Coordinates of all heavy atoms in Angstrom, one line a residue:
T4 N -250.3 -93.0 9.4 CA -251.1 -92.0 8.6 C -250.4 -91.8 7.3 O -249.2 -91.4 7.2 CB -251.1 -90.7 9.4 OG1 -251.5 -90.9 10.7 CG2 -252.0 -89.7 8.7
P5 N -251.1 -92.1 6.2 CA -250.4 -92.0 4.9 C -249.9 -90.5 4.6 O -250.6 -89.6 5.0 CB -251.5 -92.3 3.9 CG -252.6 -93.0 4.6 CD -252.5 -92.5 6.1
A6 N -248.7 -90.4 4.1 CA -248.1 -89.1 3.9 C -247.8 -89.0 2.4 O -247.1 -89.8 1.9 CB -246.9 -88.9 4.8
P7 N -248.2 -87.9 1.8 CA -247.9 -87.7 0.3 C -246.4 -87.4 0.1 O -245.8 -86.8 1.0 CB -248.8 -86.6 -0.1 CG -249.1 -85.8 1.1 CD -249.0 -86.8 2.3
A8 N -245.9 -87.6 -1.1 CA -244.6 -87.2 -1.5 C -244.7 -85.7 -1.7 O -245.8 -85.1 -1.8 CB -244.2 -87.8 -2.8
P9 N -243.6 -84.9 -1.6 CA -242.2 -85.4 -1.6 C -241.6 -85.5 -0.2 O -240.5 -86.0 -0.1 CB -241.5 -84.5 -2.5 CG -242.1 -83.1 -2.3 CD -243.6 -83.4 -2.0
A10 N -242.2 -84.8 0.8 CA -241.5 -84.7 2.1 C -241.3 -86.1 2.6 O -240.2 -86.4 3.1 CB -242.4 -83.9 3.1
A11 N -242.3 -86.9 2.5 CA -242.2 -88.3 3.1 C -241.1 -89.1 2.4 O -240.3 -89.7 3.0 CB -243.5 -89.0 2.9
E12 N -241.1 -88.9 1.0 CA -240.0 -89.6 0.3 C -238.6 -89.1 0.6 O -237.7 -89.9 0.8 CB -240.2 -89.4 -1.2 CG -241.3 -90.3 -1.8 CD -241.6 -90.0 -3.3 OE1 -240.8 -89.3 -3.9 OE2 -242.7 -90.4 -3.7
F13 N -238.5 -87.8 0.8 CA -237.2 -87.2 1.1 C -236.7 -87.8 2.4 O -235.5 -88.3 2.5 CB -237.3 -85.7 1.1 CG -236.1 -85.0 1.6 CD1 -235.1 -84.7 0.7 CD2 -235.9 -84.8 3.0 CE1 -233.9 -84.1 1.2 CE2 -234.7 -84.2 3.4 CZ -233.7 -83.9 2.5
W14 N -237.5 -87.7 3.4 CA -237.0 -88.1 4.8 C -236.9 -89.6 4.9 O -236.0 -90.1 5.5 CB -238.0 -87.5 5.9 CG -237.7 -86.1 6.1 CD1 -238.4 -85.0 5.6 CD2 -236.5 -85.5 6.7 NE1 -237.8 -83.8 6.0 CE2 -236.6 -84.1 6.7 CE3 -235.4 -86.1 7.4 CZ2 -235.7 -83.3 7.2 CZ3 -234.4 -85.2 7.9 CH2 -234.6 -83.9 7.8
E15 N -237.8 -90.3 4.2 CA -237.6 -91.8 4.2 C -236.3 -92.2 3.6 O -235.6 -93.0 4.1 CB -238.8 -92.5 3.6 CG -238.9 -94.0 3.6 CD -238.7 -94.6 5.0 OE1 -239.0 -93.9 6.0 OE2 -238.3 -95.7 5.1
A16 N -236.0 -91.6 2.5 CA -234.7 -91.9 1.8 C -233.5 -91.5 2.6 O -232.5 -92.2 2.7 CB -234.7 -91.2 0.4
R17 N -233.7 -90.4 3.3 CA -232.6 -89.9 4.2 C -232.2 -91.0 5.2 O -231.0 -91.2 5.5 CB -233.0 -88.6 4.9 CG -232.1 -88.0 5.9 CD -231.1 -87.1 5.4 NE -230.4 -86.3 6.4 CZ -229.3 -86.7 6.9 NH1 -228.8 -87.9 6.6 NH2 -228.7 -86.0 7.9
Y18 N -233.2 -91.6 5.8 CA -233.0 -92.6 6.9 C -232.6 -94.0 6.2 O -231.7 -94.6 6.6 CB -234.2 -92.7 7.8 CG -234.3 -91.6 8.8 CD1 -235.2 -90.6 8.6 CD2 -233.5 -91.5 9.9 CE1 -235.3 -89.5 9.5 CE2 -233.6 -90.4 10.8 CZ -234.5 -89.4 10.6 OH -234.6 -88.4 11.4
R19 N -233.4 -94.3 5.2 CA -233.3 -95.7 4.7 C -231.9 -95.9 4.0 O -231.3 -97.0 4.1 CB -234.4 -95.9 3.6 CG -234.6 -97.4 3.2 CD -235.6 -97.4 2.1 NE -235.2 -96.5 1.0 CZ -236.1 -95.6 0.4 NH1 -237.3 -95.6 0.7 NH2 -235.6 -94.8 -0.5
D20 N -231.4 -94.8 3.4 CA -230.2 -95.0 2.6 C -228.9 -94.9 3.4 O -227.8 -95.0 2.8 CB -230.1 -93.9 1.5 CG -231.3 -94.1 0.5 OD1 -232.0 -95.1 0.6 OD2 -231.5 -93.2 -0.3
T21 N -229.0 -94.7 4.7 CA -227.8 -94.6 5.5 C -228.1 -95.5 6.8 O -229.2 -95.9 7.1 CB -227.5 -93.2 6.0 OG1 -228.7 -92.7 6.7 CG2 -227.2 -92.2 4.9
G22 N -227.0 -95.7 7.5 CA -227.2 -96.3 8.8 C -227.7 -95.2 9.8 O -228.3 -94.2 9.3
R23 N -227.5 -95.3 11.0 CA -227.9 -94.4 12.0 C -227.5 -93.0 11.6 O -226.4 -92.7 11.3 CB -227.3 -94.7 13.4 CG -227.6 -93.7 14.4 CD -226.9 -94.0 15.7 NE -227.8 -94.8 16.6 CZ -227.6 -95.1 17.8 NH1 -226.5 -94.7 18.4 NH2 -228.5 -95.8 18.6
V24 N -228.5 -92.0 11.6 CA -228.2 -90.6 11.2 C -227.8 -89.8 12.3 O -226.9 -89.0 12.2 CB -229.5 -90.0 10.5 CG1 -229.3 -88.6 10.2 CG2 -229.9 -90.8 9.2
W25 N -228.5 -89.9 13.5 CA -228.2 -89.0 14.6 C -227.4 -89.8 15.7 O -227.1 -91.0 15.6 CB -229.5 -88.5 15.2 CG -230.4 -87.9 14.1 CD1 -231.6 -88.4 13.8 CD2 -230.2 -86.8 13.3 NE1 -232.1 -87.7 12.7 CE2 -231.3 -86.7 12.4 CE3 -229.1 -85.9 13.1 CZ2 -231.4 -85.7 11.4 CZ3 -229.2 -84.9 12.2 CH2 -230.4 -84.8 11.3
S26 N -226.9 -89.1 16.7 CA -225.9 -89.6 17.7 C -226.5 -90.7 18.6 O -225.7 -91.4 19.2 CB -225.4 -88.5 18.5 OG -226.4 -88.0 19.4
G27 N -227.8 -90.6 18.8 CA -228.4 -91.5 19.8 C -228.4 -90.9 21.2 O -229.0 -91.5 22.1
R28 N -227.8 -89.7 21.3 CA -227.8 -89.0 22.6 C -229.0 -88.0 22.6 O -229.3 -87.5 21.5 CB -226.5 -88.3 22.9 CG -225.4 -89.2 23.1 CD -224.1 -88.4 23.5 NE -223.7 -87.4 22.5 CZ -223.0 -87.7 21.5 NH1 -222.6 -89.0 21.3 NH2 -222.6 -86.8 20.6
P29 N -229.6 -87.7 23.7 CA -230.7 -86.7 23.7 C -230.1 -85.4 23.4 O -228.9 -85.1 23.7 CB -231.2 -86.8 25.2 CG -230.1 -87.3 26.0 CD -229.4 -88.3 25.1
N30 N -230.9 -84.5 22.8 CA -230.4 -83.1 22.6 C -230.1 -82.4 23.9 O -230.9 -82.4 24.8 CB -231.5 -82.4 21.8 CG -231.5 -82.7 20.3 OD1 -230.5 -82.6 19.6 ND2 -232.6 -83.2 19.8
E31 N -228.9 -81.8 23.9 CA -228.5 -81.1 25.1 C -229.5 -80.0 25.6 O -229.7 -79.8 26.8 CB -227.1 -80.4 24.8 CG -226.4 -79.8 26.0 CD -226.2 -80.7 27.1 OE1 -225.9 -81.9 26.9 OE2 -226.4 -80.2 28.3
L32 N -230.1 -79.3 24.6 CA -231.1 -78.3 25.0 C -232.3 -78.9 25.6 O -233.0 -78.3 26.5 CB -231.4 -77.4 23.9 CG -230.1 -76.5 23.5 CD1 -230.3 -75.9 22.1 CD2 -229.9 -75.4 24.5
L33 N -232.7 -80.1 25.2 CA -233.8 -80.8 25.9 C -233.4 -81.1 27.3 O -234.2 -80.8 28.3 CB -234.2 -82.1 25.1 CG -235.2 -82.9 25.9 CD1 -236.6 -82.3 25.8 CD2 -235.2 -84.4 25.3
V34 N -232.2 -81.6 27.5 CA -231.8 -82.0 28.8 C -231.8 -80.7 29.7 O -232.3 -80.7 30.9 CB -230.4 -82.6 28.8 CG1 -229.8 -82.9 30.2 CG2 -230.5 -84.0 28.0
Q35 N -231.3 -79.6 29.2 CA -231.2 -78.4 30.0 C -232.6 -77.9 30.3 O -232.8 -77.4 31.4 CB -230.5 -77.3 29.2 CG -229.0 -77.5 29.1 CD -228.3 -76.5 28.2 OE1 -228.8 -75.4 28.0 NE2 -227.1 -76.8 27.7
E36 N -233.5 -77.9 29.4 CA -234.8 -77.3 29.6 C -235.9 -78.2 30.3 O -236.8 -77.7 30.9 CB -235.4 -76.8 28.2 CG -234.5 -75.7 27.6 CD -234.6 -74.4 28.3 OE1 -235.6 -74.1 29.0 OE2 -233.7 -73.6 28.2
A37 N -235.7 -79.5 30.1 CA -236.8 -80.4 30.6 C -236.4 -81.2 31.9 O -237.3 -81.8 32.5 CB -237.2 -81.4 29.5
A38 N -235.1 -81.1 32.3 CA -234.7 -82.0 33.4 C -235.5 -81.7 34.7 O -235.7 -82.6 35.5 CB -233.2 -81.8 33.6
E39 N -235.9 -80.4 34.8 CA -236.6 -80.1 36.1 C -238.1 -80.2 36.0 O -238.8 -80.0 37.0 CB -236.3 -78.6 36.5 CG -234.8 -78.3 36.6 CD -234.1 -79.1 37.7 OE1 -234.8 -79.3 38.7 OE2 -233.0 -79.5 37.5

Side-chain angles (χ1 to χ4, degrees):
T4 306
E12 280 174 18
F13 173 88
W14 282 103
E15 183 53 22
R17 172 93 169 88
Y18 285 103
R19 195 189 48 225
D20 297 350
T21 56
R23 172 183 268 190
V24 174
W25 312 112
S26 71
R28 294 186 300 277
N30 282 302
E31 186 55 37
L32 291 166
L33 172 72
V34 174
Q35 288 175 21
E36 295 290 335
E39 303 299 322

